Amino acid sequence: MSQARLPAPRAIIFDWDNTLVDSWPCIHAAMNETLVRMGHETWSLEKTQSQVALSLRNAFPALFGNRWEEARDIYLSQYAAIHMERLVPLLGAAQMLTDLREMGVHLAVVSNKTGRFLRIEADHLGWTPHFGRLVGAGDAATDKPSTAPVHMALDGTGIAPGPTVWFAGDAPVDMHCAIDSGCTPILLRSLLPGVEEFQTHPPRHHFAAFESVTGLVRGLLHPISC
């Protein structure tokens, strides 16, 4: 990761699942029910965490072949039944979003979670007002790591994708999307990156805590003169 000074952000685009909210228990339960009903063996939580990153329309054809749409419908039904009762915001995320918004940083979300679920969850948490746009899977012509959702997230803001737009996420697909769109790739998670995890699309900086994001952004936007 580069240790060079980060550009002050005009905008920050966040991933959603496991960047701002803990979604793994819900995703894991819905995925295993789908696998069982499609005649596959269930996955461990560790395998779910290593395999789930792409949107359903990008991931399921490889898993389920020409029955992928059937599997998608099963997954969406299972996820819809449990996601609200299991939705848990990551500790400190809400305060970070409030602080960044008060600093005048434009915020958005680009997620591979189905768009309608993404917006339901944001509404439930009371977070929708923080974001100029919440872009989920299926909202743009193509999903992350495509750059199309990034352009959709910034459309109408007067802010173009570039170094002053940070893209913060927890997975390689997020860094891939950030770099391809010309944004600054930010790894945001408590877990340290694996040795080869981000070999092709490395993050520019790793934040292990939300308060670290707030502190650095404040310093970049309002540097102290010596």
Side-chain angles (χ1 to χ4, degrees):
M1 278 173 273
S2 171
Q3 299 302 309
R5 179 182 172 90
L6 289 170
R10 296 181 64 197
I12 302 178
I13 297 172
F14 289 96
D15 173 48
W16 185 257
D17 289 323
N18 308 303
T19 296
L20 298 177
V21 301
D22 180 7
S23 301
W24 283 125
C26 187
I27 291 170
H28 182 57
M31 190 68 210
N32 270 343
E33 180 63 22
T34 303
L35 289 165
V36 168
R37 291 174 60 178
M38 293 296 292
H40 293 246
E41 293 185 2
T42 58
W43 290 353
S44 66
L45 177 59
E46 291 74 16
K47 183 168 182 178
T48 299
Q49 291 171 330
S50 69
Q51 295 294 316
V52 175
L54 300 177
S55 66
L56 299 182
R57 64 176 169 178
N58 285 341
F60 272 27
L63 280 171
F64 302 109
N66 59 12
R67 297 179 65 201
W68 78 269
E69 290 176 310
E70 178 185 352
R72 175 201 60 197
D73 292 344
I74 293 170
Y75 179 89
L76 291 176
S77 175
Q78 292 300 309
Y79 190 87
I82 62 175
H83 76 121
M84 295 308 296
E85 66 187 43
R86 301 193 186 189
L87 181 64
V88 179
L90 291 173
L91 186 63
Q95 187 61 54
M96 177 197 65
L97 295 172
T98 297
D99 292 342
L100 292 173
R101 190 178 174 210
E102 289 177 350
M103 282 186 260
V105 180
H106 180 81
L107 305 180
V109 170
V110 167
S111 172
N112 274 339
K113 167 167 280 172
T114 300
R116 65 186 174 93
F117 290 146
L118 169 64
R119 289 180 284 275
I120 288 170
E121 292 181 5
D123 281 344
H124 177 74
L125 294 173
W127 289 2
T128 299
H130 289 311
F131 302 110
R133 185 165 288 183
L134 293 123
V135 180
D139 292 335
T142 48
D143 302 322
K144 197 168 59 175
S146 164
T147 62
V150 171
H151 290 278
M152 178 176 281
L154 296 174
D155 185 42
T157 65
I159 303 171
T164 60
V165 177
W166 292 8
F167 193 119
D170 69 309
V173 68
D174 301 309
M175 304 305 101
H176 188 166
C177 184
I179 291 170
D180 283 5
S181 60
C183 300
T184 296
I186 300 293
L187 181 62
L188 178 55
R189 69 183 198 192
S190 58
L191 184 68
L192 290 171
V195 175
E196 297 183 356
E197 186 178 8
F198 298 95
Q199 191 168 20
T200 60
H201 295 87
R204 176 81 179 273
H205 192 84
H206 173 216
F207 291 99
F210 295 114
E211 58 266 28
S212 299
V213 178
T214 304
L216 184 55
V217 171
R218 183 176 285 116
L220 291 171
L221 293 175
H222 307 288
I224 299 173
S225 300
C226 297

